[in-house]
């Protein structure tokens, strides 16, 4: 009788998926399982630095600068899995049949799995606001971040040519969503536009950045003291803060809010929230409308002991506090480590472990070399925070790449980011 080696299929090579694949590859015995990681892209993306790609100051559009910034945010899967036992498959997942754990790809192929892991991340939530799909930009993926930058520069050059004749209006950029990602982008836009204006001999004061937030608080995820430092920094950079302004319609060159505010804009970026990935909705599994797959404390999907979920794909509570785990990078990486251990435990017939949501560090860059860092119980703001954030990025690169490659990539990226500021 031939005993087949079980196949573990990981859907999604983001922060959670890559962590699971690498952990399994390092800790499994060769015959224990075959690990296949599927992603639609050929590169693993590190979203916390995508705002740098969207605001790269590259006056002469030098290819080298763009290339290094690209490398900062994305690493080819071939490099990550070089020398490991992970099989990488570049395919786009269409749906899965949960009863048989069969993955269906958009090209019509299928792939069966003994153990399946959902790590597909999330999708942008537009809350039914008309016009967002067609008129607003996002930076959820690397091509989107690059496209946003091209659009912004194009719009600025168009504005400059027009304003040679008519100086009557400001150049306006609107960012919708006052969480960390929105704050990072709005702050960096303010820095970027001033430099663009300087380069093209336009008065920098005509550039305006608006940050819209439907809730009461911008930077709600930061502790109050750190939040105050962040808000003060945003004001210094000239970002106009608009809490309690709920955007209800987006047009090609304007947006309006439910309170009556109307703004003529040159670029709109939507970072107002995330929702459950369409693949999950199509797969007959228990899903929370905005939060991903319902999972138990071991991160196995409820009612499906051979299907796990991690990162933005999972809706799980901390068993100690009962709090729902937020969709952030650190949680995705930690959940990935727990899912990987539980897969091996399952294959070995051992009891599974629980995911405990330990206090997480948060890092938010607020324009140039200024960052807010909360490393419980410590808080750092300003240049010290920025330095700590660079070290956190280095730590992440070390976790997915060989040490020398990680260090070289980080060194290059810090040089370009410093020039970018
Ligand atoms: C712009 C931005 C900035 C952020 N900044 C921060 C930050 O500063 N701090 C922080 O803690 N968190 C931040 N986050 C959130 C954080 O990045 C996410 O919580 C984290 O990436 C989730 O990890 P994940 O593995 O679940 O999904 P992801 O990292 O999103 O990975 C999902 C993977 O699935 C692949 N995929 C998706 N659909 C398919 C499909 N149909 N077929 C095949 N493959 C598919 C994608 O290509 C991707 O590689 C940010 C997010 C964004 C978008």
């Amino acid at each position: 009788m031939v005993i087949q080696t079980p196949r573990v299929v990981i859907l999604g090579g983001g922060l959670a998926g890559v962590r699971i694949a690498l952990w399994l590859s390092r800790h499994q015995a060769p015959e224990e399982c075959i690990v296949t990681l599927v992603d639609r892209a050929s590169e693993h993306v590190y979203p916390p630095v995508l705002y740098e790609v969207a605001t790269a100051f590259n006056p002469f559009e030098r290819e080298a600068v763009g290339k290094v910034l690209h490398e900062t945010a994305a690493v080819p899967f071939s490099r990550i899995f070089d020398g490991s036992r992970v099989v990488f498959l570049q395919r786009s997942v269409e749906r899965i049949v949960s009863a048989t754990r069969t993955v269906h790809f958009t090209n019509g192929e299928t792939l069966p799995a003994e153990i399946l892991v959902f790590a597909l991340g999330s999708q942008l939530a537009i809350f039914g606001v008309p016009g967002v799909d067609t008129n607003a930009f996002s930076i959820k993926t690397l091509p989107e971040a690059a496209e946003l930058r091209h659009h912004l520069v194009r719009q600025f050059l168009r504005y400059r040519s027009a304003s040679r004749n008519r100086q009557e209006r400001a150049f306006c950029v609107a960012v919708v969503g006052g969480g960390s990602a929105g704050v990072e982008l709005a702050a960096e836009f303010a820095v970027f536009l001033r430099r663009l204006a300087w380069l093209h001999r336009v008065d920098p004061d005509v550039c305006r950045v608006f940050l819209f937030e439907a809730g009461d608080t911008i930077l709600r995820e930061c502790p109050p003291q750190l939040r105050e430092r962040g808000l003060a920094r945003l004001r210094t950079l000239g970002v106009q803060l608009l809490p309690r302004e709920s955007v209800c319609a987006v047009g090609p060159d304007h947006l309006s809010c439910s309170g009556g505010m109307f703004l003529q804009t040159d670029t709109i970026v939507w970072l107002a929230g995330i929702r459950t990935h369409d693949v999950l909705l199509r797969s007959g599994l228990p899903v929370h409308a905005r939060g991903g797959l319902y999972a138990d404390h071991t991160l196995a999907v409820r009612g499906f002991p051979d299907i796990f979920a991690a990162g933005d794909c999972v809706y799980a509570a901390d068993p100690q506090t009962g709090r729902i785990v937020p969709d952030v990078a650190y949680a995705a990486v930690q959940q990935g480590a727990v899912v990987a251990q539980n897969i091996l435990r399952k294959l070995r017939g051992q009891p599974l472990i629980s995911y405990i949501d330990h206090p997480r560090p948060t890092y938010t860059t607020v324009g140039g070399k200024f960052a807010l860092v909360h490393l419980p119980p410590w808080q750092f703001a300003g240049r010290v925070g920025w330095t700590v954030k660079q070290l956190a990025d280095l730590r992440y690169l070390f976790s997915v790449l060989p040490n020398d490659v990680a260090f070289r990539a980080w060194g290059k990226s810090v040089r370009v980011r410093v020039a970018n500021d």
Side-chain angles (χ1 to χ4, degrees):
M1 191 177 72
V2 182
I3 300 174
Q4 277 204 328
T5 310
R7 183 191 294 275
V8 175
V9 176
I10 302 162
L11 305 178
L15 304 192
V18 162
R19 176 53 51 99
I20 297 167
L22 287 177
W23 198 96
L24 283 174
S25 167
R26 284 171 194 152
H27 293 85
Q28 73 176 108
E31 71 289 354
E32 258 178 322
C33 57
I34 299 167
V35 179
T36 303
L37 184 137
V38 178
D39 202 287
R40 61 186 169 196
S42 60
E43 294 171 317
H44 164 73
V45 173
Y46 182 54
V49 297
L50 281 178
Y51 74 92
E52 292 270 3
V53 176
T55 59
F57 185 69
N58 186 4
F60 308 109
E61 299 301 319
R62 280 169 34 223
E63 209 190 318
V65 175
K67 194 163 163 280
V68 174
L69 275 165
H70 181 117
E71 284 170 3
T72 314
V75 185
F77 286 111
S78 53
R79 197 185 291 176
I80 292 177
F81 297 132
D82 187 26
S84 79
R85 295 206 197 94
V86 179
V87 179
F88 173 67
L89 198 60
Q90 187 175 0
R91 295 282 186 285
S92 188
V93 180
E94 216 263 323
R95 67 189 170 95
I96 71 137
V97 175
S98 49
T100 56
R101 295 177 302 280
T102 305
V103 185
H104 289 249
F105 299 115
T106 48
N107 66 359
E109 291 173 5
T110 57
L111 180 69
E114 273 71 41
I115 295 184
L116 195 59
V117 183
F118 278 93
L120 292 166
S122 52
Q123 285 180 259
L124 210 60
I126 61 172
F127 309 107
V129 174
V132 176
D133 271 348
T134 40
N135 300 310
F137 285 78
S138 174
I139 55 164
K140 216 154 160 37
T141 65
L142 192 59
E144 284 174 354
E147 172 56 21
L148 169 60
R149 182 187 178 280
H150 287 140
H151 170 82
L152 194 64
V153 173
R154 228 176 17 240
Q155 288 291 86
F156 188 83
L157 296 179
R158 196 174 291 163
Y159 168 85
R160 187 197 57 166
S161 328
S163 64
R164 283 212 172 111
N165 310 321
R166 303 176 281 116
Q167 291 279 348
E168 74 271 22
R169 73 171 188 92
F171 181 78
C172 297
V173 175
V175 177
V176 186
S180 255
V183 164
E184 286 186 331
L185 192 67
E188 211 59 44
F189 271 155
V191 176
F192 176 67
L193 288 176
R194 287 193 87 78
R195 298 189 76 186
L196 208 57
W198 161 80
L199 185 70
H200 294 286
R201 298 196 179 85
V202 172
D203 175 6
D205 291 337
V206 299
C207 300
R208 305 265 166 81
V209 180
F210 297 83
L211 181 60
F212 290 83
E213 164 58 43
D216 289 342
T217 318
I218 289 172
L219 274 177
R220 61 194 166 278
E221 54 273 59
C222 281
Q225 240 181 324
L226 218 47
R227 183 184 310 134
E228 283 315 312
R229 294 286 304 271
L231 297 182
R233 168 74 174 171
L234 285 165
R235 289 190 195 100
T236 308
L237 292 172
V239 178
Q240 303 208 19
L241 306 179
L242 297 158
R244 294 177 291 281
E245 282 292 357
S246 176
V247 174
C248 65
V250 172
D253 58 0
H254 64 269
L255 58 74
S256 29
C257 298
S258 38
M261 180 174 176
F262 179 90
L263 183 74
Q264 189 96 34
T265 58
D266 294 272
T267 296
I268 300 165
V269 188
W270 188 269
L271 290 171
I274 55 171
R275 67 169 177 85
T276 298
H277 198 294
D278 284 340
V279 170
L280 275 55
L281 299 172
R282 285 196 287 264
S283 296
L285 292 163
V287 284
H288 181 272
R290 294 221 297 272
L293 294 165
Y294 282 105
D296 64 22
H297 56 99
T298 67
L299 301 179
V301 176
R302 272 194 215 159
F304 294 85
D306 297 322
I307 302 181
F308 290 88
D312 289 2
C313 263
V314 72
Y315 187 77
D318 180 300
Q320 289 177 349
T321 62
R323 269 204 318 260
I324 298 301
V325 180
D327 298 315
V328 290
Y330 194 78
V333 172
Q334 296 297 320
Q335 287 175 337
V338 169
V339 166
Q341 289 176 64
N342 279 343
I343 290 171
L344 273 199
R345 284 172 166 268
K346 195 172 180 55
L347 292 171
R348 292 171 184 171
Q350 296 166 346
L352 306 195
I353 57 169
S354 298
Y355 173 71
I356 308 292
D357 189 35
H358 294 295
R360 290 171 307 274
T362 59
Y363 307 91
T364 309
T365 308
V366 194
K369 295 183 199 66
F370 186 107
L372 309 171
V373 176
H374 185 206
L375 267 174
W378 298 290
Q379 300 181 10
F380 308 96
R383 199 174 271 259
V384 180
W386 183 85
T387 309
V388 176
K389 165 124 185 358
Q390 305 312 306
L391 294 175
D393 291 347
L394 174 64
R395 186 164 174 249
Y396 182 73
L397 285 174
F398 273 144
S399 75
V400 293
L401 287 171
N403 289 357
D404 56 330
V405 180
F407 197 73
R408 271 202 307 275
W410 178 79
K412 266 204 248 171
S413 74
V414 169
R415 275 201 300 279
V416 172
R417 283 184 212 171
V418 167
N420 201 22
D421 295 334

